Amino acid sequence: GGDHLALLNVYEEWEDTQFSSGWCYENFVQFRSLQRARDIKEQLVNMLTRVEMSLERADDLDNIKKSVLSGFFYHTATLNKDQKTYRTIRTGSANT
């Protein structure tokens, strides 16, 4: 979750500069990547508006961490050393 929080901080810093391409250049961040993140955020905000849900600023990092980590759970697996395979926690299916 640490990388996600760092990326969120980068996005918020960029947002504070009114989405400046110069800020991206000065901070060695790809402008097009942040534009894509802004487009995705706008899509999510539009979806929330359409279903009449409110968007609130989440300053509580614990809730942000819980949200990110809840998505990771479905991709966790255990290693079976004898067969050299991974078995997913959620479904129990084996992957090599």
Side-chain angles (χ1 to χ4, degrees):
D3 288 346
H4 291 83
L5 295 176
L7 291 171
L8 177 61
N9 287 333
V10 168
Y11 181 86
E12 289 175 343
E13 289 289 325
W14 180 59
E15 191 174 41
D16 289 344
T17 68
Q18 308 298 308
F19 307 107
S20 166
S21 61
W23 182 89
C24 292
Y25 179 78
E26 291 169 7
N27 291 281
F28 308 100
V29 177
Q30 291 211 354
F31 181 68
R32 289 181 66 191
S33 297
L34 286 177
Q35 282 181 310
R36 177 80 175 122
R38 182 179 58 192
D39 292 344
I40 292 168
K41 180 182 177 185
E42 288 174 6
Q43 289 174 18
L44 292 171
V45 168
N46 289 336
M47 286 181 207
L48 288 173
T49 302
R50 206 172 323 140
V51 296
E52 299 177 357
M53 289 183 70
S54 63
L55 177 65
E56 297 177 14
R57 176 121 183 117
D59 290 326
D60 181 6
L61 291 181
D62 286 338
N63 285 335
I64 294 172
K65 290 175 188 175
K66 287 176 186 177
S67 176
V68 170
L69 293 176
S70 68
F72 286 153
F73 174 76
Y74 293 104
H75 300 286
T76 56
T78 58
L79 174 62
N80 181 338
K81 293 181 182 179
D82 296 335
Q83 297 175 348
K84 297 182 181 176
T85 59
Y86 289 93
R87 187 163 298 281
T88 61
I89 299 293
R90 187 174 138 241
T91 64
S93 60
N95 301 312
T96 55

